[in-house]
Amino acid sequence: GEEVAQTPKHLVRGEGQKAKLYCAPIKGHSYVFWYQQVLKNEFKFLISFQNENVFDETGMPKERFSAKCLPNSPCSLEIQATKLEDSAVYFCASSFGRSSYEQYFGPGTRLTVT
Amino acid sequence: DQQVKQNSPSLSVQEGRISILNCDYTNSMFDYFLWYKKYPAEGPTFLISISSIKDKNEDGRFTVFLNKSAKHLSLHIVPSQPGDSAVYFCAASEGNFGNEKLTFGTGTRLTIIP
Protein backbone atom coordinates (compact mmCIF):
# COMPACT_ATOMS: atom_id res chain seq x y z
CA GLY A 1 0.00 0.00 0.00
CA GLU A 2 0.88 3.66 -0.23
CA GLU A 3 0.56 4.28 3.49
CA VAL A 4 1.80 2.57 6.61
CA ALA A 5 -1.15 0.80 8.19
CA GLN A 6 -1.38 0.05 11.90
CA THR A 7 -3.98 -1.98 13.76
CA PRO A 8 -5.70 -1.72 16.09
CA LYS A 9 -6.16 2.02 16.54
CA HIS A 10 -6.83 1.62 20.26
CA LEU A 11 -6.05 -1.27 22.59
CA VAL A 12 -6.99 -1.56 26.25
CA ARG A 13 -5.40 -4.23 28.40
CA GLY A 14 -5.52 -5.03 32.08
CA GLU A 15 -2.17 -5.10 33.80
CA GLY A 16 -0.51 -8.47 33.20
CA GLN A 17 -2.33 -9.17 29.96
CA LYS A 18 -0.67 -9.55 26.57
CA ALA A 19 -0.84 -6.86 23.89
CA LYS A 20 -0.13 -7.38 20.22
CA LEU A 21 0.16 -4.56 17.70
CA TYR A 22 0.39 -4.86 13.92
CA CYS A 23 2.02 -2.83 11.17
CA ALA A 24 1.92 -3.14 7.38
CA PRO A 25 4.73 -1.07 5.83
CA ILE A 26 4.56 0.74 2.51
CA LYS A 27 4.98 -1.70 -0.36
CA GLY A 28 8.57 -1.74 -1.56
CA HIS A 29 10.03 -0.39 1.69
CA SER A 30 12.73 -2.61 3.12
CA TYR A 31 12.96 -1.13 6.62
CA VAL A 32 10.43 -1.10 9.42
CA PHE A 33 10.85 0.85 12.66
CA TRP A 34 8.88 0.84 15.91
CA TYR A 35 8.76 3.89 18.19
CA GLN A 36 7.01 4.44 21.49
CA GLN A 37 5.61 7.89 22.28
CA VAL A 38 4.98 8.53 25.94
CA LEU A 39 4.15 11.70 27.83
CA LYS A 40 5.56 15.06 26.80
CA ASN A 41 5.93 14.09 23.17
CA GLU A 42 9.02 11.96 23.64
CA PHE A 43 9.57 9.37 20.94
CA LYS A 44 11.62 6.38 21.96
CA PHE A 45 13.09 4.06 19.31
CA LEU A 46 12.41 0.40 20.05
CA ILE A 47 13.52 -1.81 17.15
CA SER A 48 14.05 -1.86 13.39
CA PHE A 49 13.94 -4.57 10.74
CA GLN A 50 15.48 -4.98 7.33
CA ASN A 51 12.86 -7.13 5.66
CA GLU A 52 12.37 -10.01 8.11
CA ASN A 53 15.70 -9.58 9.88
CA VAL A 54 16.25 -7.58 13.05
CA PHE A 55 18.46 -4.63 12.10
CA ASP A 56 18.74 -2.65 15.33
CA GLU A 57 17.20 -3.71 18.63
CA THR A 58 19.11 -1.36 20.93
CA GLY A 59 15.91 0.29 22.17
CA MET A 60 13.96 -2.84 22.99
CA PRO A 61 13.33 -3.54 26.66
CA LYS A 62 15.07 -6.78 27.54
CA GLU A 63 11.98 -8.34 29.03
CA ARG A 64 8.37 -8.63 27.92
CA PHE A 65 8.80 -6.96 24.49
CA SER A 66 9.27 -8.88 21.26
CA ALA A 67 8.78 -8.09 17.58
CA LYS A 68 8.69 -9.90 14.26
CA CYS A 69 8.47 -9.14 10.57
CA LEU A 70 7.65 -12.32 8.67
CA PRO A 71 7.33 -12.63 4.89
CA ASN A 72 3.84 -11.92 3.53
CA SER A 73 2.52 -10.93 6.97
CA PRO A 74 2.18 -7.65 8.84
CA CYS A 75 4.99 -6.89 11.26
CA SER A 76 4.04 -7.25 14.92
CA LEU A 77 5.08 -5.87 18.29
CA GLU A 78 4.07 -7.96 21.29
CA ILE A 79 4.16 -7.03 24.94
CA GLN A 80 3.82 -9.90 27.40
CA ALA A 81 2.46 -9.12 30.86
CA THR A 82 1.77 -5.45 30.26
CA LYS A 83 2.50 -2.88 32.94
CA LEU A 84 0.94 0.53 33.57
CA GLU A 85 4.12 2.20 32.24
CA ASP A 86 3.62 0.54 28.84
CA SER A 87 0.67 2.88 28.23
CA ALA A 88 1.74 4.93 25.21
CA VAL A 89 1.16 5.42 21.51
CA TYR A 90 3.20 2.98 19.45
CA PHE A 91 4.18 4.16 15.99
CA CYS A 92 5.43 2.07 13.14
CA ALA A 93 7.40 3.65 10.31
CA SER A 94 8.88 2.32 7.11
CA SER A 95 11.58 3.51 4.76
CA PHE A 96 13.04 2.54 1.43
CA GLY A 97 16.59 2.58 2.83
CA ARG A 98 19.48 2.75 0.34
CA SER A 99 20.31 6.40 1.08
CA SER A 100 16.66 7.40 1.36
CA TYR A 101 16.42 8.70 4.89
CA GLU A 102 12.79 9.62 5.17
CA GLN A 103 10.71 7.40 7.39
CA TYR A 104 6.98 7.34 6.82
CA PHE A 105 4.83 6.84 9.86
CA GLY A 106 1.57 5.07 10.45
CA PRO A 107 -1.27 6.56 12.52
CA GLY A 108 -0.17 4.74 15.66
CA THR A 109 -1.79 2.36 18.13
CA ARG A 110 -2.78 3.83 21.48
CA LEU A 111 -2.23 1.22 24.19
CA THR A 112 -3.87 1.84 27.54
CA VAL A 113 -2.96 -0.48 30.38
CA THR A 114 -5.42 -0.36 33.29
CA ASP B 1 20.39 12.43 27.81
CA GLN B 2 18.48 14.47 25.24
CA GLN B 3 20.59 14.50 22.07
CA VAL B 4 18.08 16.56 20.07
CA LYS B 5 16.55 19.56 21.80
CA GLN B 6 13.71 21.84 20.89
CA ASN B 7 13.78 24.44 23.61
CA SER B 8 10.56 26.24 22.68
CA PRO B 9 7.55 24.10 23.62
CA SER B 10 5.22 26.50 21.84
CA LEU B 11 5.17 29.34 19.33
CA SER B 12 2.38 31.61 18.10
CA VAL B 13 2.66 33.42 14.77
CA GLN B 14 0.31 35.68 12.86
CA GLU B 15 -1.03 34.27 9.59
CA GLY B 16 1.08 35.42 6.66
CA ARG B 17 4.19 35.99 8.77
CA ILE B 18 7.29 33.81 9.00
CA SER B 19 7.42 30.95 11.51
CA ILE B 20 10.88 29.96 12.71
CA LEU B 21 11.30 26.73 14.66
CA ASN B 22 14.64 25.89 16.20
CA CYS B 23 16.47 22.69 17.05
CA ASP B 24 19.83 21.98 18.66
CA TYR B 25 21.73 18.71 18.81
CA THR B 26 24.70 17.41 20.74
CA ASN B 27 25.72 14.25 18.85
CA SER B 28 28.46 14.98 16.30
CA MET B 29 27.69 11.70 14.55
CA PHE B 30 24.33 12.94 13.30
CA ASP B 31 24.55 13.62 9.59
CA TYR B 32 20.98 13.74 8.40
CA PHE B 33 18.20 15.87 9.82
CA LEU B 34 14.47 15.82 9.26
CA TRP B 35 11.42 17.84 10.24
CA TYR B 36 8.08 16.21 10.88
CA LYS B 37 4.68 17.76 11.45
CA LYS B 38 2.14 16.08 13.68
CA TYR B 39 -1.57 16.62 14.14
CA PRO B 40 -3.38 15.16 17.17
CA ALA B 41 -4.22 11.46 16.88
CA GLU B 42 -2.17 11.10 13.69
CA GLY B 43 1.32 9.88 12.92
CA PRO B 44 4.15 12.31 12.16
CA THR B 45 4.22 13.49 8.56
CA PHE B 46 7.57 14.05 6.86
CA LEU B 47 8.09 17.67 5.83
CA ILE B 48 11.65 18.35 4.75
CA SER B 49 15.17 17.09 5.37
CA ILE B 50 18.78 18.15 5.03
CA SER B 51 22.07 16.34 4.78
CA SER B 52 25.03 17.51 6.85
CA ILE B 53 26.93 18.36 3.67
CA LYS B 54 24.44 21.15 2.93
CA ASP B 55 23.49 24.26 4.84
CA LYS B 56 20.10 24.93 3.29
CA ASN B 57 17.27 23.03 1.68
CA GLU B 58 14.10 24.55 0.35
CA ASP B 59 10.74 23.05 -0.60
CA GLY B 60 7.95 25.48 -1.35
CA ARG B 61 7.10 27.44 1.79
CA PHE B 62 9.49 25.38 3.90
CA THR B 63 13.22 26.00 4.25
CA VAL B 64 15.58 24.21 6.59
CA PHE B 65 18.91 25.76 7.57
CA LEU B 66 21.77 23.81 9.13
CA ASN B 67 24.68 25.31 11.04
CA LYS B 68 26.99 22.38 11.73
CA SER B 69 29.53 24.30 13.76
CA ALA B 70 26.79 25.47 16.12
CA LYS B 71 24.96 22.13 15.97
CA HIS B 72 21.79 24.03 15.21
CA LEU B 73 19.08 23.80 12.63
CA SER B 74 15.96 25.79 11.98
CA LEU B 75 12.78 25.41 9.96
CA HIS B 76 11.33 28.49 8.30
CA ILE B 77 7.75 28.53 7.11
CA VAL B 78 6.75 31.49 5.00
CA PRO B 79 4.06 32.60 4.66
CA SER B 80 2.47 30.83 7.64
CA GLN B 81 -1.03 29.48 7.09
CA PRO B 82 -3.71 28.30 9.56
CA GLY B 83 -3.21 24.71 8.38
CA ASP B 84 0.37 24.89 9.63
CA SER B 85 -0.88 24.79 13.23
CA ALA B 86 0.53 21.49 14.55
CA VAL B 87 3.38 20.09 16.61
CA TYR B 88 6.71 20.10 14.77
CA PHE B 89 9.42 17.59 15.55
CA CYS B 90 13.06 17.81 14.65
CA ALA B 91 14.77 14.43 14.14
CA ALA B 92 18.28 13.26 13.37
CA SER B 93 20.03 10.11 12.23
CA GLU B 94 23.58 8.84 12.07
CA GLY B 95 25.14 6.97 9.19
CA ASN B 96 24.96 7.12 5.42
CA PHE B 97 22.61 4.38 4.36
CA GLY B 98 19.16 5.64 5.25
CA ASN B 99 18.37 2.74 7.52
CA GLU B 100 19.25 4.18 10.92
CA LYS B 101 16.87 5.01 13.73
CA LEU B 102 15.69 8.58 14.21
CA THR B 103 16.33 10.50 17.41
CA PHE B 104 13.57 13.03 18.01
CA GLY B 105 13.31 16.31 19.84
CA THR B 106 10.36 16.94 22.15
CA GLY B 107 8.47 19.08 19.67
CA THR B 108 7.28 22.67 19.30
CA ARG B 109 3.57 23.41 19.15
CA LEU B 110 3.01 26.02 16.44
CA THR B 111 -0.20 28.01 16.49
CA ILE B 112 -1.02 30.26 13.54
CA ILE B 113 -3.29 33.12 14.50
CA PRO B 114 -5.73 34.14 11.74
Side-chain angles (χ1 to χ4, degrees), chain A residues 9 31 33 35 37 40-43 45 48 55-56 58 91 95 97-107, chain B residues 2 31-32 34 36 38 41-44 46 49 87 89 93 95-102 104-106:
Chain A
K9 203 175 177 74
Y31 292 89
F33 304 80
Y35 295 89
Q37 188 190 27
K40 297 191 178 180
N41 289 328
E42 291 192 27
F43 285 85
F45 167 76
S48 62
F55 185 77
D56 181 353
T58 53
F91 288 101
S95 75
R98 297 180 219 170
S99 301
S100 172
Y101 291 78
E102 295 79 25
Q103 294 181 19
Y104 295 90
F105 283 76
Chain B
Q2 192 72 29
D31 63 5
Y32 204 82
L34 307 90
Y36 283 85
K38 188 180 182 300
E42 294 184 12
F46 170 72
S49 60
V87 179
F89 291 93
S93 74
N96 298 314
F97 300 106
N99 51 14
E100 291 80 16
K101 66 186 179 190
L102 296 179
F104 283 85
T106 51

Side-chain angles (χ1 to χ4, degrees), chain A residues 73-93:
Chain A
S73 296
C75 296
S76 63
L77 177 69
E78 189 168 314
I79 309 172
Q80 300 286 343
T82 52
K83 296 184 177 182
L84 295 176
E85 69 223 41
D86 298 331
S87 294
V89 181
Y90 291 82
F91 288 101
C92 173

Side-chain angles (χ1 to χ4, degrees), chain B residues 30-80:
Chain B
F30 287 147
D31 63 5
Y32 204 82
F33 303 89
L34 307 90
W35 283 94
Y36 283 85
K37 173 181 178 179
K38 188 180 182 300
Y39 293 119
E42 294 184 12
T45 301
F46 170 72
L47 269 180
I48 191 168
S49 60
I50 189 165
S51 163
S52 60
I53 61 173
K54 295 187 175 181
D55 55 18
K56 178 182 172 181
N57 189 27
E58 202 169 344
D59 183 0
R61 296 186 299 116
F62 302 94
T63 303
V64 56
F65 295 92
L66 175 62
N67 181 334
K68 271 192 77 175
S69 60
K71 292 193 177 71
H72 176 84
L73 62 156
S74 61
L75 174 68
H76 293 211
I77 306 173
V78 56
S80 300

